[in-house]
Amino acid sequence: MHEMFEVRWHGRGGQGVVTASRILAIAAFNEGFAGVQSIPWIGAERRGAQIEAYNRISRTPILLHSQVYSPDAVVVVDPSMITRNNNVVIRGLKKSGFLIINTAGTKVIPSIRVPEECLVYVVDATSICLELGLQAAGLYVLAMPMLGAFAKATGLISLKGLRKAVESSFESVLVEKNMKAIEKAYYSTLKVHITPEQYIPPVPPSRPERIPEFRHWTDLPPVPVSTPSKGSIGKTGDWRTHMPVIDKEKCTKCLFCWMYCPEAAVNVNEEGFPEIDYDYCKGCGVCFNECPRKAIRMVVDEKK
Amino acid sequence: MSARKIYQEAPEEYVLPGNSACQGCGSTLALRWILKALGKRTVIVNPASCGCVYVGLYPRTAISVPYIQMAFAAGPAAASGIVGGLAARGEKDVTVVCWAGDGGTADIGVSSLSGTAERNTDYIYFCYDNEAYMNTGTQRSGSTPAGAWTTTTPLGKKENKKDMALIMAAHRIPYVATTCSSYPIDIYNKTKKAKNIKGMRYIHILVPCPPGWRFDTGLTVKIGRLAVQSGMWLLYEVENGVFRLSPPSRTIIEKPEKRIPVREYIRAQERFSRMSDEEIKSLQEIIDKKLEKVAELDGKTLFF
Ligand SMILES: Cc1ncc(C[n+]2csc(CCOP(=O)(O)OP(=O)(O)O)c2C)c(N)n1
Ligand code: SF4
Ligand code: SF4
Ligand code: SF4
């Protein structure tokens, strides 16, 4: 490794992205890197909000303290960000960098675009979390296994270094569970074959625009007024690990599910049956718990 | 009234799905039901809080009535101004609402809130009480109950919860009510009642918050119900000074066998994990005493 290695994480609030980035920094420090950084970028403290986190890893102390604009590696915890807008995740990615994605199937692979010579790796972190029940406050911590995938893909840190970092970050009961997830991911991370058509010219890094200076109030732009729309932050995506499924045989059309859905994601059809809007249902499980007839099951979201 | 009946009466959704609230958010559930009761001709002022986030980012919004984001301390003042502006334009059928978190209400906004109560400004103030400053990542507020973990009370809060609803009742405004997001029909009925009263109305809503209270997202409605069924949270109205218990709270007072030990409520959430069994026992005694007192108050004039 020459000079400094920069990492950008993409995920959603609640998936453990910030924690994983911190653990990566600690692990790198344990491996003897003298300069390590972990920087969270959070627009709003909200579960499900798109967030980023950054790491810098270097043999020498780091004096730079900005966000990471030209990463050597990008870790994508929530693959729905790739299908929607690939450019968001690969912006600034260096030629011959790493793109590491949490995905179960091969569905997202054809839609991947990367700068030339980039190496792409995939791992099914979601299944690993589901299998091990790796949860915090009700959400699956998908970012933890991604540490294993990162270690495997980049070779920058070892499982031993990760273990030490995990041990110093969690209570002892959680260490084994997290390490198991990390190890499982390490051994199941696969390199993806990328065809020449998938290579695209580098996407320039996005830097914050300068805010224009206004000298007089008449120069100000008009008051911003937003338009009401469903999906104001887009579809739910892989933030949902489980989805509710209604059994019409058992349903008595009491509409408790409609009444208690915090998301207004339950519609009522012409026959009076509830119908779930899967584009926006966040899979919280409230309807599952409130249905008096137990007509709702939560199943692992199969769209992955 | 059953869920089906309300569906026929108020099928419209004003809180649109696909917003940026967390999974299982009690606050959006409460707002859904308030807006069902108030209808389209409503203007909302929302001081800095989770509400300002889940409403969405420009140019899109999840709320389909006019929704004005306001500086933290200025919510009631801004609502006052809108009431004045609408009166000047001769618009009589618009309900003005202030929708604020417990931090914005019990701590930062309390001065201008009290001012509007003193002047009996014609609007409805809703405090949605998630018992901490959740938008900025769970810091204790004046409304956080004793014993609760927050990032600023890592060992559990020492001070008691401030009773905002009774403070507002002491202003002798025409209508004060408390409710909880687990009782959408109660919210709906109380809001409808408030809509038809002139002057200042204050409704305080307990809203469970999965990330801040640390419980599984599917349990939002169950946890709120436990708060009420254990007597930790009381549902009542103070109409023209007369205090009246609402049915769910009256039931547990008149029929102690229907009361749930507060332990069940406390142990269902990780935020109280620091509370010892003795502390829970003494909390139970406090609640039992409180319920005895409240039983005596039912139907009486509180302040004169
Ligand atoms: C004067 C001021 N101080 C601090 C903030 C930062 N801030 C924005 S929202 C928020 C928390 C609000 O808490 P609460 O009113 O309880 O609503 P909740 O976030 O829980 O919905 C804080 C501290 C601000 N916007 N303005
Ligand atoms: S709560 Fe259950 S029984 Fe009632 S309408 Fe929904 S699915 Fe049907
Ligand atoms: S899982 Fe949650 S968001 Fe989805 S329909 Fe049920 S209550 Fe609504
Ligand atoms: S932090 Fe709590 S109140 Fe705020 S949006 Fe999330 S669940 Fe709702």
Side-chain angles (χ1 to χ4, degrees):
Chain A
M1 194 189 78
H2 55 91
E3 291 169 20
M4 186 164 64
F5 194 90
E6 295 183 297
V7 187
R8 187 172 64 220
W9 295 76
H10 289 271
R12 291 175 185 271
Q15 291 175 336
V17 175
V18 173
T19 309
S21 143
R22 210 183 57 233
I23 289 174
L24 176 57
I26 299 171
F29 188 75
N30 293 343
E31 302 267 352
F33 289 95
V36 296
Q37 287 182 352
S38 161
I39 304 168
W41 179 90
I42 304 168
E45 293 254 357
R46 190 68 56 255
R47 282 181 167 192
Q50 294 196 8
I51 62 168
E52 294 177 10
Y54 314 102
N55 285 109
R56 287 199 179 88
I57 299 171
S58 169
R59 291 278 172 211
T60 51
I62 301 167
L63 299 176
L64 188 65
H65 290 274
S66 70
Q67 295 174 15
V68 164
Y69 296 106
S70 310
D72 297 88
V74 167
V75 185
V76 182
V77 178
D78 188 332
S80 64
M81 286 166 194
I82 292 207
T83 38
R84 204 162 345 122
N85 188 353
N86 204 9
N87 286 348
V88 173
V89 302
I90 63 162
R91 57 177 209 272
L93 180 58
K94 283 193 190 125
K95 203 173 145 186
S96 67
F98 299 90
L99 178 64
I100 306 158
I101 307 166
N102 163 26
T103 179
T106 45
K107 233 170 80 191
V108 302
I109 293 173
S111 59
I112 290 169
R113 299 287 177 272
V114 279
E116 240 172 290
E117 292 170 34
C118 276
L119 303 175
V120 179
Y121 289 84
V122 293
V123 67
D124 188 0
T126 308
S127 297
I128 292 174
C129 284
L130 288 172
E131 191 192 318
L132 298 174
L134 189 64
Q135 277 190 340
L139 290 196
Y140 287 94
V141 203
L142 307 181
M144 288 310 292
M146 295 309 283
L147 284 168
F150 177 88
K152 175 73 170 292
T154 64
L156 210 58
I157 45 167
S158 66
L159 282 176
K160 239 171 88 192
L162 280 169
R163 172 173 283 277
K164 236 173 114 186
V166 167
E167 278 168 357
S168 65
S169 304
F170 295 120
E171 289 170 41
S172 54
V173 281
L174 295 174
V175 170
E176 282 320 309
K177 212 180 207 181
N178 279 288
M179 271 322 291
K180 223 180 194 159
I182 289 171
E183 279 159 13
K184 262 196 158 145
Y186 183 91
Y187 292 113
S188 60
T189 297
L190 294 175
K191 193 164 156 201
V192 176
H193 177 70
I194 295 293
T195 61
E197 306 84 69
Q198 287 178 277
Y199 290 128
I200 57 166
V203 180
S206 61
R207 285 174 199 272
E209 280 173 43
R210 266 191 82 85
I211 297 169
E213 271 180 49
F214 297 109
R215 306 229 169 259
H216 192 258
W217 72 268
T218 51
D219 299 333
L220 289 171
V223 176
V225 175
S226 301
T227 328
S229 38
K230 277 191 182 181
S232 47
I233 56 146
K235 295 184 183 175
T236 298
D238 272 46
W239 172 26
R240 176 178 70 206
T241 42
H242 287 77
M243 58 193 253
V245 175
I246 298 176
D247 180 354
K248 279 196 182 171
E249 301 278 299
K250 287 191 192 160
C251 172
T252 54
K253 308 184 191 174
C254 71
L255 297 193
F256 275 26
C257 50
W258 166 79
M259 178 165 72
Y260 288 117
C261 175
E263 193 62 24
V266 182
N267 298 319
V268 181
N269 72 12
E270 274 165 23
E271 299 159 59
F273 276 114
E275 261 173 14
I276 291 163
D277 184 341
Y278 290 114
D279 279 350
Y280 304 124
C281 160
K282 288 176 182 159
C284 67
V286 166
C287 56
F288 161 76
N289 278 305
E290 294 310 316
C291 172
R293 312 293 301 192
K294 294 266 156 268
I296 300 178
R297 284 176 306 136
M298 294 301 286
V299 302
V300 174
D301 197 342
E302 79 272 346
K303 85 181 168 308
K304 294 192 192 81
Chain B
M1 199 162 7
S2 68
R4 275 215 77 80
K5 247 194 148 159
I6 302 196
Y7 177 73
Q8 274 142 15
E9 196 176 293
E12 263 118 301
E13 300 292 349
Y14 299 97
V15 177
L16 304 176
N19 57 52
S20 37
C22 312
Q23 292 148 311
C25 171
S27 173
T28 47
L29 176 56
L31 186 59
R32 243 190 98 201
W33 283 86
I34 284 164
L35 287 177
K36 277 186 183 295
L38 296 178
K40 214 166 129 196
R41 301 280 286 168
T42 304
V43 176
I44 303 181
V45 178
N46 179 210
S49 60
C50 284
C52 288
V53 176
Y54 58 61
V55 68
L57 291 176
Y58 181 78
R60 299 202 280 180
T61 162
I63 315 285
S64 59
V65 298
Y67 195 96
I68 300 153
Q69 304 189 340
M70 200 28 74
F72 223 146
S80 257
I82 291 166
V83 171
L86 288 166
R89 278 169 45 163
E91 296 205 39
K92 292 209 172 76
D93 61 338
V94 179
T95 311
V96 179
V97 161
C98 189
W99 173 249
D102 52 293
T105 302
D107 305 332
I108 304 178
V110 72
S111 153
S112 66
L113 167 62
S114 172
T116 52
E118 186 210 354
R119 297 190 297 276
N120 200 22
T121 304
D122 188 23
Y123 80 120
I124 315 180
Y125 190 102
F126 290 95
C127 170
Y128 67 90
D129 188 357
N130 50 25
E131 303 197 315
Y133 290 79
M134 294 309 180
N135 186 36
T136 34
T138 321
Q139 295 86 19
R140 67 87 95 180
S141 81
S143 203
T144 304
W149 160 90
T150 65
T151 52
T152 45
T153 57
L155 301 179
K157 192 187 169 201
K158 297 258 182 313
E159 301 80 7
N160 283 320
K161 184 181 171 84
K162 194 188 277 192
D163 195 333
M164 268 318 288
L166 284 185
I167 291 172
M168 292 312 290
H171 285 75
R172 300 185 198 85
I173 54 177
Y175 187 70
V176 171
T178 61
T179 180
C180 168
S181 56
S182 304
Y183 296 80
I185 299 179
D186 191 62
I187 296 180
Y188 183 78
N189 290 336
K190 283 173 176 161
T191 307
K192 275 201 127 176
K193 187 186 236 177
K195 187 183 177 187
N196 295 319
I197 296 172
K198 263 199 94 62
M200 163 114 200
R201 295 137 281 167
Y202 179 88
I203 300 184
H204 197 107
I205 314 170
L206 183 74
V207 299
C209 161
W213 297 13
R214 314 218 124 233
F215 59 80
D216 190 290
T217 55
L219 300 176
T220 296
V221 171
K222 285 223 152 51
I223 299 269
R225 216 180 272 132
L226 281 177
V228 173
Q229 291 173 341
S230 63
M232 185 81 173
W233 183 246
L234 286 174
L235 303 190
Y236 60 83
E237 293 172 288
V238 185
E239 227 179 319
N240 296 316
V242 181
F243 179 93
R244 209 163 267 118
L245 283 165
S246 306
S249 289
R250 171 163 308 135
T251 309
I252 61 148
I253 288 175
E254 287 175 356
K255 302 193 183 95
E257 71 277 8
K258 295 224 161 148
R259 205 178 295 170
I260 283 171
V262 75
R263 194 192 158 76
E264 276 183 43
Y265 173 66
I266 296 293
R267 287 291 180 237
Q269 309 162 59
E270 248 182 78
R271 67 170 167 157
F272 290 118
S273 58
R274 288 270 176 180
M275 272 178 93
S276 65
D277 287 341
E278 287 84 74
E279 282 169 315
I280 297 177
K281 230 177 105 198
S282 79
L283 176 64
Q284 184 68 56
E285 282 162 21
I286 293 169
I287 288 179
D288 291 343
K289 270 209 190 97
K290 174 177 86 178
L291 294 185
E292 252 173 62
K293 282 227 169 77
V294 164
E296 289 167 22
L297 285 180
D298 196 19
K300 303 240 164 66
T301 304
L302 276 193
F303 302 100
F304 40 89

